[in-house]
Amino acid sequence: MSGAALVAALREVRRLARGVLGSDAYDLYLHHHRITGCTHPPLTEREFWRAKYAEQDANPGARCC
Amino acid sequence: MSPASPGPSSHAGPPPDAAPSAGATATTTPPPAAVDPAARREERRWTPPKIALWVGISLVGALGWLMLALARGEAVNAIWFVFAAVATYLVAYRFYAKFIQDKLVRPDDTRATPAETSYDGKDYVPTDRRILFGHHFAAIAGAGPLVGPVLAAQMGYLPGTIWIIVGVILAGAVQDFLVLVISMRRHGRSLGQMARDELGIVGGIAAFIATLTIMLIIVAILAMVVVNSLGESAWGVYSVGLTIPIAVFMGIYLRYLRPGKVFEVSMIGVVLLLAAIVSGRWVAESDWGQAIFHLDRPVLAAAIIVYGFLAAVLPVWVLLAPRDYLSTFMKIGTIVMLAAAIVLVRPQIDTPAISEFASRTDGPVFTGALFPFLFVTIACGALSGFHAMIASGTTPKLVEKESQTRMIGYGGMLMESFVAIMALVAAVSIDRGIYFAMNSSAAATGGTVEGAAQFVNSLGLMGVNLDPATLEETAKQVGEESIVSRTGGAPTLAVGLAGIMHRLIGGPGMMAFWYHFAIMFEALFILTSVDAGTRVARFMLSDALGGINQRFRDHSWRLGAWLTTAIMVAGWGSILMMGVLDPLGGINTLFPLFGIANQLLAAIALSICLVVFARKGRRRSLLVIAVPLLFTAVVTITGSFQKIFSADPKVGYWANHMAYRDALAAGKTELGLAKTAEDMQAVVFNTAVQGSLSILFVVCTIIVLIVSLWRTLQALRGVNLLDTEAPYVESEYFAPSGMVPTASEKELGGQWKSYLAEHPEKDLAGGGH
C-alpha cells in the first residue's frame, strides 16, 4: 500500500470512529449551517456542545440492556 | 425484486429527473436517487463464483453445526461456534433478510428518509451507514446478551446456541429491522406513539403500562447483576467506583477545557480506566482498601439507588454523556478483542452439549423447564423487545436510504447475537463444577468453598467432582476472596473471559486483571442503562402525570423532575433491594421475570408491526411477523402462567408464596432455603410482588395482542385501514445500500459527487467530510 493510500485509509478509519462516538457533531452542525445559508453566525464549539447537552437533558434516549 | 424499485403498493412518485445515462447533464439536474432497477437486477444475477461462494459458506456453517451437535462425550473446539454462527448469519442475512426486504418491507430508495426531509444538522442527519451501524449497535448491545447466555449454560451449550442463532434470525433481527422501517416511515416516531396510533387508546394504554413497568424491572435486574458482581469485592468496588470521578473529570474537560474533543477525552478516560483496574489489586490487598471498599450487597444496592437518583437528575454533561463515550469505546473494543481471542486461542469446551438439567425443572441457576424458560433466560441476543425502543427514536432519524435498514436493523441485531454466542462460549469454557459453584445461590452453597463443593457434587453431574481447593485456587487467580455464589452471570463471564484472554495476552499473572476488566466493562454498560433508563422512565411518567396536572408536562420544572425521578428510582430500587435481600437468591427468581418482561415488549413491538403491514396490504408475507409473534407470545404467556399458576413451589411464585405462608401459619420457623421466620416472611412478600408483576405484564400483553389481532383481521377484510405513514417526498440524495458499494452504486455515487461539487448546498452529509 502506498503512503497516500495509507493516509487515506487512516483518515477514513478516523472519520468512522469519530462518527460512531459522536465526536463529529459540531462538524455536522457547521456543515448544516453552511449549506442551509443561515445568516446569523454559527454557535462556537463551546456553545454548541452546551446546547447539545441541554437538549439531551430535555430528551433522554434509552440505552439497551 | 431490487430494493430500489418501488413496490406495487408503495407510492410510485414521479419519475427521476435525469435518466441514469444522462451523465453529461447530471451537473445541472440531480442524478437519480436510486440505482436503476435493471442495472441492479443485472448485478444480482447468479454467477458460478457467487454460487460457489454461498455453497462454501453454507458448507462451513453445516460443518460447524455438525461438530456442535454431534460432539458426544468429548471436547468440542470453540472455533466451531464461530463457524456455525457466522455462516448461519451470513446465509440468513443474504437470503432471509433479503426475502423480508423484497416481500414485506419493499423499501423505496427514491423516497426521502426523515434524515433528508427534516435535515437539521442535529437529530436528523443523513449518516454514513457504517457509522450508523456502529451507533445503533452500541445503543442496542449492553450487558443483557452477556448475562442471559451464561445462565442458560446450565442446560448445556446446545439449547442456548440453537436459540440464540435461530431466534435472532427468525425473531430478534426481524423485530429490529421492521420497527426501524415503520418508525423511519413515520418520521422517527417512538414505539409508544406508534402503539397509540395503530392500536388505539386501550391498546396504547396497555402498551404504555407494560413498557414503563418493564423498563423498571429491567433496570432493577441489571442493577442486581452489578451488585452481585461487586459484593464483597474490594477490587471491583474500587475500580467501578472510580468510573464516577473519571466520568466527571471527562465531563469537566469537555465542558470547560476542550469542548468537543470527544475522541481525545475518551482515550484519556480509557487509560484512566485501565489504571483504575490495575491499581485495584494494590488497593484490595491493603487494609484501608478492604476497610473502605469491601461492601456487603445491601450496602451496594443502597449505593446504586442513591447513585441512580443523582445520575438521573444531574445534567447529562456531568456523568451520563461522558460515561456513554467510555461505554461505547469499551463495548466495541472489548467485543472485537474477545472475538479475536476466541478465534486465536480456540479454547476446548468440555461442557456437554445437553446437560442433565435440560430435562429437569429444578436447576440451581434458574428453575423451570427448558420450554419456556430457556427462551426467556436468553432474551437479549435472540429476541429483545427493548431494542424496539432504540430502533424507533434515534436511529430512524439518521438513515440515509430506506434500503439500508436491512444492514442496520437486521445486521445490527445479528452482531448482538454474535456477542451472546461469545458470552456463551466464555461461560462454557470454564470448568462445569466451578460454573455451578458460582451460579448457585448462597442459600444452597452456604457461601463457603466446602459447602459449594459439597452442593455441586451432590447434583450428580456427569464428570464433575469439585474439590474445594479448586475453588480457592480460581478465586486467588482472579484476585477475589471467593467466587462461591457469585450469581448473576457477570462474574462467571469474567472468569471465562479471563481464562481465554490471559492465554492471548499476559499469561496467568494477568488473569486477575482480565477478570476485573470484564467486571468493569459490564458494570459500565449497566450503569449507563440504569441512569438512561431512569431518565426515560421519568419522562414517561411525567408525560402521563401531565394529564392530571399540566405542570408535569414541563420537563424543566425541577420539583416535578425530582419527584418523578424519585418515584421511578423507588420503583426499581425496591425490586433491587428485594432481590438482594431475597433468601432464595434473588437473581435466580427474578431473572425469568426480566426475560419475560423483555420478550413481552417484543410481542408488543411485533404486534404493532403486524398491524402496520396488514394495513399496507401485505398478506402472505405477514407470516414473517406472525410466526415469531406467535412463538414469543406462547413462550412468554406460558412462562407467565407457570410463574403464576404452577403448583410447584420451585417454579410458581404464588405456590411458593402459599407454601411459606402456610408454614408460617403452622408456626414453623424454617422452610427450604429460608432459615428463619424473618426470611420466610421476606419470601412471602417477595413472591407476592413477583407474582403480581407477572400478572400485570401478562394482562397488559394479552390486551395488546387481542387489540392487534383484531386490527389485523379488520385490515385483512379491508376495514379500518389507517395510513399513518408520512407522505412521499422524492429524494435528492444518494448512498449505497450495503456495507460494500456495488459497481453500479459506485458509478452513481460518482455522478453524485460531480453534481454535488457544483451544488454544495445539496450535500447534506458533507461529501465524505
Side-chain angles (χ1 to χ4, degrees), chain B residues 608-624:
Chain B
I608 295 170
C609 294
L610 187 69
V611 175
V612 167
F613 283 102
R615 283 177 169 168
K616 273 188 77 76
R618 305 289 190 271
R619 290 295 176 264
R620 267 190 310 174
S621 56
L622 288 177
L623 282 175
V624 166

Side-chain angles (χ1 to χ4, degrees), chain B residues 394-443:
Chain B
T394 318
T395 309
K397 296 174 184 158
L398 302 172
V399 178
E400 292 173 305
K401 279 283 144 196
E402 291 202 339
S403 60
Q404 294 173 346
T405 47
R406 173 164 71 125
M407 167 189 152
I408 294 161
Y410 199 95
M413 181 61 193
L414 289 180
M415 191 77 175
E416 170 168 301
S417 172
F418 188 59
V419 173
I421 287 290
M422 291 195 293
L424 185 80
V425 168
V428 296
S429 72
I430 68 178
D431 177 81
R432 223 158 51 116
I434 296 178
Y435 170 84
F436 280 102
M438 292 186 75
N439 288 292
S440 303
S441 79

Side-chain angles (χ1 to χ4, degrees), chain B residues 222-371:
Chain B
L222 288 175
M224 187 149 62
V225 170
V226 174
V227 169
N228 280 357
S229 58
L230 299 184
E232 282 121 39
S233 165
W235 189 338
V237 171
Y238 162 81
S239 53
V240 172
L242 267 187
T243 61
I244 297 170
I246 291 173
V248 172
F249 163 75
M250 290 169 64
I252 293 172
Y253 188 95
L254 279 176
R255 193 168 187 87
Y256 297 107
L257 302 177
R258 287 169 64 78
K261 300 287 179 276
V262 173
F263 203 85
E264 174 182 304
V265 83
S266 303
M267 298 292 282
I268 299 175
V270 168
V271 171
L272 291 175
L273 219 56
L274 295 178
I277 300 171
V278 173
S279 59
R281 176 198 294 272
W282 168 70
V283 172
E285 282 168 2
S286 70
D287 292 337
W288 60 270
Q290 284 292 332
I292 301 173
F293 298 112
H294 189 276
L295 301 175
D296 289 342
R297 284 165 211 199
V299 177
L300 274 169
I304 288 193
I305 291 169
V306 172
Y307 163 84
F309 178 80
L310 289 177
V313 294
L314 282 173
V316 293
W317 69 266
V318 182
L319 205 53
L320 189 133
R323 216 204 12 240
D324 217 11
Y325 298 136
L326 269 186
S327 167
T328 304
F329 217 100
M330 292 281 279
K331 193 173 291 178
I332 294 175
T334 311
I335 286 165
V336 170
M337 191 179 75
L338 185 59
I342 288 178
V343 172
L344 295 174
V345 173
R346 295 185 298 278
Q348 288 290 322
I349 309 293
D350 296 314
T351 303
I354 297 169
S355 89
E356 295 83 345
F357 289 112
S359 51
R360 283 160 55 177
T361 61
D362 61 344
V365 184
F366 66 94
T367 54
L370 189 145
F371 181 87

Side-chain angles (χ1 to χ4, degrees), chain B residues 10-34:
Chain B
S10 56
H11 306 264
D17 293 345
S21 57
T25 57
T27 49
T28 48
T29 51

Side-chain angles (χ1 to χ4, degrees), chain B residues 660-669:
Chain B
Y660 276 85
R661 228 173 57 173
D662 293 347
L664 275 171
K668 288 189 194 158
T669 56

Side-chain angles (χ1 to χ4, degrees), chain A residues 7 11 13-14 16 18-22 24 26 31-32 34 37 40 43 45-47 49 54 57-59 61:
Chain A
V7 169
R11 202 166 270 162
V13 168
R14 176 173 181 273
L16 294 177
R18 271 170 53 88
V20 171
L21 210 55
D24 57 356
Y26 184 60
H31 183 77
H32 172 263
R34 202 160 42 233
H40 63 84
L43 299 177
E45 192 162 17
R46 190 174 291 257
E47 289 165 347
W49 283 97
D57 270 324
N59 303 293

